[in-house]
Every structure is written in structure tokens, then in C-alpha cells.
Amino acid sequence: MSAYGTEPGAPTNDGNPGETSELPQPEDLGFGRYLGAHLVLAEHDGARWSAPGLLPRQALCVPVASAGVQYGLSVFEGLKAYRGADGGVHLFRPQAHAHRFAASAARLGLPAVDEALFVESCAMAVDAHRKLLPPYGRGSLYLRPTIHADEEFLGLRRAQRHRYSVVVSACSDPAMKRLRLWAEPHLIRAAVGGLGAAKTGANYAAGLAGLMHAQAKAYDDVVWLDAATHTRLGEAGSMNLFVRIGSRLLTPPLDGCILAGITRDSLLQMARRARLDAVECEISLDDLAIAQQRGELGGAFGCGTAARIVAIDEIGDSTRCIRFSAQDACVSRLCAALKDVQEGGTSDWPQWRYGLFG
Ligand SMILES: Cc1ncc(COP(=O)(O)O)c(C=O)c1O
């Protein structure tokens, strides 16, 4: 066991494998398993949010007879804090996450958390768990801000009490994996006008059966196609998609059916600054098959806060298998550049790193 997280008086984690004194080496943390012992909590009484405070994580009870549980009236975010090369600690693009959090809340009729409260509460959560933060380059502290309707009441209406919480989890630096994805032919996860662009549990609930289909066919994850024609790529279960065709780096557009990934946006901006031809456009399975026949299909990858960049080997359905290049240097270059930008191994994009403390 590693002692990188231990110090007298550090938060403990009763009943959780991530108890601070029992943390494994950063490379063995994985994702989502080692939760911090405390959470940050604020309450909305119908008028305003209270000041955020710290609470033992297991002290927060969520009533079963609340719209948060019964009707899925909750939204969340996922962002990371890193220890930089200089030993300081920073959040990656918290303002962008705050903005998306507010948009998700608005779509579900929940009270928004403003940017100042979002950043303050994330900083408080990191500060309370600073000893859980892996050393520079070896992992991160993942933060999960959540708003849920908390009033005990049965019936669909806007709740009069909401809670906002931030839970943290110590994570490994994601390994550069390679995935096989199943293009789901029958189920849909989101349609125009629906919830696809909101980060809310309903999207993941709607997606689990697709993931199970994919896994039953020995694929790693699902690719969601557009609801109207079942021909165009949307996103994977919890990642946005990029594909290289010829010299162009393509990603599906923000059509309201996919999440506006902060990683996707970061990569688009980085790629454009590096003068890559990065384009948001519709991508059909037929386009990919034609590019494959012409020998123009390069690499493909999924991206997101949790996984950073994951190479895609193939996308299959019951009639065909599209194989991407495993030798695309562009994918590994982007992954290394993104890691540097996120962790502060470069002075580029300083506006994306929100310094917390040294
Ligand atoms: C459905 C979905 N799409 C895309 C993403 C990637 O978003 P981000 O890069 O902001 O983490 C996520 C991340 O959680 C997701 O759940």
C-alpha cells in the first residue's frame, strides 16, 4: 500500500476501499473507486443557495420519496484537479464545467449553481482531500458536482428543496487503451429536443442497455447513432468521438443529442492552433466505409475527462466492421499534448488551469 495519501488528521473513508491510509500506488487507483471521506454541501431553499460546507460523505442521506430519486431530477459534472509540475494544484477548465452544469440544470428545471459557487465548492473539496491527490503526472482527483431535488414529495413538479454536493475520487492517470465499439442499430439514447446535451442520469440510464448489448457481443462500448436515420455517429457511452479521414480530423457536431465535451472542445482548439484541419461535421457509417475502401481512413479515438483519449480499433454493426489505423501518430501526439496541457507540463493554454494552492 502507498502512503502518498496519509497524514495525521487527513480525512478517512469509513467503509470505503479508498480509506486514505489504504490507498494503493497511483497507477492502481483506477477510476471512481477511492472516494474522499468528505463532501461539500450547499442547500437551496427555493430562493438561494446556502454557503457551502464540509460534511462526512456518508452523512448525506437522499430521500427515496424525492424527485431526485423518483424522476431523475438531478444533474452532474465531472472535472479533475491535478498536481502540476511545479507542485501547485489546479483545476482543469472549471469555468467551462460550471457553464455546462448551469445549462444542464436549466434543461431540467433545477436551480443553477453560479460559477463563483461552483469554483469555490470545487476548491473546498480539493483542499479537504489534498493528500489524496497523486503526484504530478501520475493521476488526478476527479470531482463530481451534483444537484438533486431533495424535497420529500411524490408527484412531478419543481421541488422546493435542492441540494448541491461535490464528491471526490482519487484516480490513476488513464492508460492509453484501444477499444472496439458497437454501433447500436435499434436502441436510441437521445433525439433532437431531448436530454442528450444535458449531463443528467437519464442519459446514462437510457444508455446502459446499449452498453450491455455491446458487451454481450464482445465489444467494449457502444456508439450511439442519430435517432432519425441510425446512420450518423453521435458519441460513445461517455466519450465524444474523433475520426481522421485523409488530412481532416472530424468530430460530430453539437446537435443537441450529444454532450458538449470539455475535452472535445479543448482538442478542437489545440488541433486548430496546431494547424490541423479539425472539423465539426456529420459522419456516417457509410462515409467511414468509403474512406476505408479508398485507404483514407486514419485513426479514431474517444475522449472525455475520465479517459482523456482512448484509441478506437474498430466500429462494428451486424453487417460490417470499420477498422481504423492503429499507427496514426496524430492520436498519440494529441493525447500527449492534452496530458501536458491538463497537468501543467507546458506553459501553453494557461487560461485553462485554475490555480488553487501551492
Ligand atoms: C455522454 C458523454 N459524452 C461525452 C463526455 C466527455 O465530456 P468531457 O470531455 O466534458 O468529460 C462525457 C463525459 O463524462 C459523457 O458522459
Side-chain angles (χ1 to χ4, degrees), residues 28-342:
D28 298 323
L29 288 166
F31 178 81
R33 181 154 181 249
Y34 293 92
L35 299 175
H38 289 77
L39 52 73
V40 174
L41 185 68
E43 217 168 275
H44 196 281
D45 60 4
R48 65 188 61 79
W49 289 106
S50 66
L54 212 57
L55 183 84
R57 194 187 77 254
Q58 291 174 343
L60 178 61
C61 300
V62 178
V64 167
S66 65
V69 174
Q70 297 293 326
Y71 307 119
L73 290 186
S74 72
V75 294
F76 62 96
E77 266 306 317
L79 69 162
K80 284 181 171 175
Y82 297 92
R83 202 176 282 284
D86 59 0
V89 175
H90 61 268
L91 293 165
F92 187 68
R93 301 195 68 181
Q95 297 93 341
H97 284 278
H99 185 80
R100 187 174 69 186
F101 198 38
S104 297
R107 176 63 182 83
L108 275 88
L110 306 180
V113 165
D114 67 22
E115 186 183 306
L117 173 57
F118 185 88
V119 174
E120 178 191 357
S121 55
C122 289
M124 195 183 265
V126 176
D127 191 28
H129 299 93
R130 41 169 103 192
K131 293 296 172 183
L132 293 189
L133 245 171
Y136 167 65
R138 295 177 63 190
S140 62
L141 195 65
Y142 178 83
L143 283 79
R144 175 56 67 86
T146 304
I147 302 170
H148 72 271
D150 194 62
E151 178 194 358
E152 286 201 286
F153 175 79
L154 294 176
L156 182 61
R157 62 158 165 73
R158 200 168 202 256
Q160 282 159 16
R161 190 177 72 170
H162 293 84
R163 280 179 157 165
Y164 165 54
S165 53
V166 184
V167 168
V168 306
S169 177
C171 300
S172 300
D173 191 44
M176 180 78 181
K177 287 185 288 192
R178 307 197 66 84
L179 299 184
R180 297 174 63 241
L181 303 182
W182 169 250
E184 169 57 43
H186 303 301
L187 301 176
I188 58 159
R189 203 209 53 178
V192 175
L195 292 177
K199 200 158 171 66
T200 183
N203 278 322
Y204 301 84
L208 181 61
L211 173 63
M212 289 163 67
H213 283 180
Q215 290 174 338
K217 294 176 187 299
Y219 285 84
D220 300 297
D221 199 353
V222 57
V223 171
W224 294 107
L225 303 174
D226 71 288
T229 68
H230 276 266
T231 57
R232 296 188 299 268
L233 300 191
E235 63 184 340
S238 57
M239 289 184 297
N240 294 115
L241 299 172
F242 280 82
V243 176
R244 209 167 58 72
I245 297 184
S247 61
R248 302 171 85 210
L249 186 63
L250 311 178
T251 191
L254 301 180
D255 59 358
C257 299
I258 65 172
L259 195 71
I262 310 300
T263 318
R264 170 188 180 279
D265 179 70
S266 305
L267 287 168
L268 278 173
Q269 293 196 50
M270 290 167 61
R272 285 171 181 156
R273 186 181 280 184
R275 302 199 179 283
L276 292 175
D277 192 6
V279 182
E280 300 172 79
C281 67
E282 291 180 351
I283 308 166
S284 70
L285 291 171
D286 283 349
D287 294 336
L288 298 178
I290 291 166
Q292 178 171 248
Q293 277 166 11
R294 291 181 178 158
E296 292 175 349
L297 199 58
F301 60 88
C303 66
T305 297
R308 187 174 291 131
I309 283 183
V310 181
I312 299 169
D313 272 341
E314 62 178 69
I315 296 179
D317 64 14
S318 48
T319 61
R320 62 187 153 188
C321 171
I322 293 154
R323 285 188 210 286
F324 299 94
S325 164
Q327 312 298 333
D328 193 332
C330 169
V331 179
S332 39
R333 266 204 308 269
L334 275 174
C335 186
L338 180 61
K339 178 174 160 68
D340 268 352
V341 169
Q342 289 172 331

